Amino acid sequence: MPTVRDDGTTREPPVFTGRRWWLPSAVADELDPDAGPSARPRRTARDWLVDFSCFLLAVAIAFAAADSVRHDPHTPHVLAVVDQALGVLACGAVWLRRRHPLALAVAMIPVGFVSNTSGGAGMVALFTLAVHRPFRYVVWAGGSTLALVPVFYWLRPDPDLPLPGVVAFSAVLTLSVVGWGMFVRSKRQLMLSLRDRARRAETEARLRAEQAQRLAREAIAREMHDVLAHRLTLLSVHAGALEFRPDAPRDEVARAAGVIRESAHEALQDLREIIGVLRAGDPDDAGRPQPNLAALEALVAESREAGMKVVLAHHVDDPAAVPASVGRTAYRIAQEGLTNARKHAPGTEVTVTVTGAPGQGLVVRVRNPAPEGEVPHVPGSGQGLIGLTERATLAGGTLRHGPTPGGGFEVRGRLPWG
């Protein structure tokens, strides 16, 4: 899992958790996500071991070639001295192979044509070029080396082998070194590509998790929004009653004030929960329990206390047996239907009917007759029903709403109950 820094940002864990000292420096820096871009990566213990081995190999080949040059009667003494001097410089230049692989390989082409003792250093430089640079550079350097091999042995023939044999041996050796270097390069690229693929997979998984959390937070916020709209509607109804009936009895005024106070308190608590859910990194499951079908009677009683005329026809034998998601959706349908009836048909008698059984589904119906007189338009009408339709669809059911033949309005939801 990603770790969180002090500034709140996240950092991906290192993909490679093994021994860094046993990897090439270039690969170790690529596998370490904390390592910044570096033009000169520090050598690891493996780098020092490999570089020292390459140096010893170049020196060993140089000693063998120097002995052959000294005993060659066809090689002048001056050329033998120059040959050995260039061989010493070439062996020392092997330590620069990681920093300047292309320049070393190009420089070793004319040096190797003049100096027989620099052959080992030339092979090391060609191998390094094949490991650290693209194939096009290897083609030019390796092709130039192969083209000069026949010319070199024609000018300085080998005393023990014929010209075709020594040319074929040198060509096979050069191609073997190039092939080995390309194999090492491809192996490193495969390792880095697997690293990149693992990082992309982790990033995609983290993004999917964040998206799922965001969708869950939005779903919880929409659900709390319905509850908040119900509370604010109660506030509006009772505040309107106090405004139009200032001469009401003290008992009614006190009861309306109590409902306003309680609704305002509940609305503030719901609003705090909405803000907390939207701010949190994960959905907060430790909040207040979400209502289900068993809480429908309490919802109807609350509406009756607010002055509504509500008739509840509950034909479900065991409301607790209804699945939690289905019961919660049914509760929201009834709540939204009562809220709409209170806003658009005040004073009418609202009928809430709930029927269903396992295997048959659950049907929730909220019906109200036409209101008496003109009812002022309420801003934002229809938005709750749109969200409720989406909620019912996500639950696997359907929601229908519209006017009835007598001028009333009906909200009817059908939900699955397996």
Side-chain angles (χ1 to χ4, degrees):
M1 295 296 291
T3 57
V4 181
R5 296 190 177 98
D6 295 336
D7 57 357
T9 60
T10 60
R11 179 180 65 84
E12 294 296 325
V15 177
F16 178 75
T17 57
R19 299 176 179 177
R20 188 181 186 277
W21 59 269
W22 191 241
L23 286 175
S25 56
V27 176
D29 287 346
E30 288 290 339
L31 291 179
D32 188 2
D34 292 333
S38 176
R40 295 174 55 184
R42 297 182 58 184
R43 283 189 176 98
T44 61
R46 179 187 180 279
D47 291 341
W48 284 105
L49 179 61
V50 171
D51 291 347
F52 191 71
S53 300
C54 291
F55 174 74
L56 290 181
L57 177 62
V59 171
I61 296 176
F63 272 112
D67 183 71
S68 176
V69 169
R70 284 195 304 267
H71 295 85
D72 187 4
H74 301 287
T75 303
H77 178 70
V78 177
L79 182 58
V81 173
V82 173
D83 190 315
Q84 296 175 21
L86 291 177
V88 172
L89 295 177
C91 292
V94 167
W95 291 100
L96 302 177
R97 69 186 191 94
R98 294 184 182 275
R99 189 180 306 177
H100 307 290
L102 180 59
L104 180 61
V106 172
M108 289 306 300
I109 294 176
V111 172
F113 184 74
V114 176
S115 173
N116 196 16
T117 56
S118 63
M123 291 295 102
V124 172
L126 191 60
F127 170 78
T128 305
L129 182 66
V131 172
H132 294 282
R133 291 296 180 266
F135 181 68
R136 60 180 184 274
Y137 299 108
V138 182
V139 170
W140 284 104
S144 302
T145 302
L146 290 176
L148 293 176
V149 166
V151 180
F152 176 82
Y153 285 106
W154 181 70
L155 295 175
R156 301 177 63 180
D158 190 278
D160 300 327
L161 295 175
L163 179 62
V166 71
V167 169
F169 175 78
S170 299
V172 171
L173 181 61
T174 302
L175 293 176
S176 301
V177 170
V178 171
W180 185 21
M182 294 178 61
F183 171 75
V184 173
R185 176 178 173 82
S186 63
K187 186 178 179 180
R188 292 183 181 181
Q189 289 179 340
L190 176 61
M191 183 185 301
L192 295 179
S193 66
L194 292 176
R195 183 282 316 264
D196 293 337
R197 186 180 303 176
R199 283 187 178 179
R200 285 196 298 268
E202 290 181 359
T203 302
E204 292 175 0
R206 177 171 54 83
L207 292 178
R208 286 195 297 268
E210 291 178 356
Q211 183 180 12
Q213 293 175 357
R214 178 178 59 82
L215 293 177
R217 291 196 299 270
E218 291 179 356
I220 294 176
R222 284 196 299 268
E223 189 166 327
M224 292 181 177
H225 170 268
D226 298 337
V227 180
L228 184 60
H230 179 74
R231 305 293 183 192
L232 294 179
T233 302
L234 289 179
L235 282 174
S236 176
V237 169
H238 286 279
L242 291 179
E243 180 182 3
F244 288 104
R245 293 194 59 188
D247 56 344
R250 291 180 57 87
D251 294 341
E252 293 184 8
V253 173
R255 187 180 65 178
V259 173
I260 291 175
R261 179 185 58 80
E262 184 66 23
S263 299
H265 175 74
E266 295 289 340
L268 288 175
Q269 189 171 357
D270 293 333
L271 185 59
R272 282 194 295 267
E273 289 192 9
I274 292 176
I275 296 175
V277 167
L278 293 178
R279 285 180 177 175
D282 297 319
D284 186 8
D285 296 333
R288 293 184 297 173
Q290 296 298 323
N292 51 25
L293 193 62
L296 188 58
E297 294 184 359
L299 175 65
V300 172
E302 182 182 30
S303 299
R304 287 171 180 167
E305 291 181 0
M308 291 186 65
K309 302 174 184 178
V310 184
V311 177
L312 176 61
H314 206 313
H315 302 294
V316 178
D317 296 335
D318 188 8
V322 180
S325 60
V326 175
R328 186 162 56 249
T329 303
Y331 179 90
R332 296 305 181 200
I333 293 174
Q335 185 182 54
E336 182 65 23
L338 292 175
T339 301
N340 288 338
R342 187 183 300 115
K343 292 191 294 185
H344 302 291
T348 60
E349 184 178 84
V350 186
T351 303
V352 180
T353 306
V354 182
T355 58
Q360 300 178 2
L362 187 68
V363 178
V364 182
R365 180 187 303 170
V366 182
R367 176 193 290 264
N368 63 271
E372 298 179 0
E374 291 292 332
V375 178
H377 176 71
V378 179
S381 301
Q383 299 300 319
L385 292 176
I386 294 175
L388 204 61
T389 303
E390 179 184 357
R391 182 191 298 273
T393 303
L394 292 176
T398 58
L399 183 72
R400 300 288 184 268
H401 54 83
T404 59
F409 196 84
E410 182 183 54
V411 178
R412 178 187 179 91
R414 178 179 292 275
L415 303 173
W417 184 1

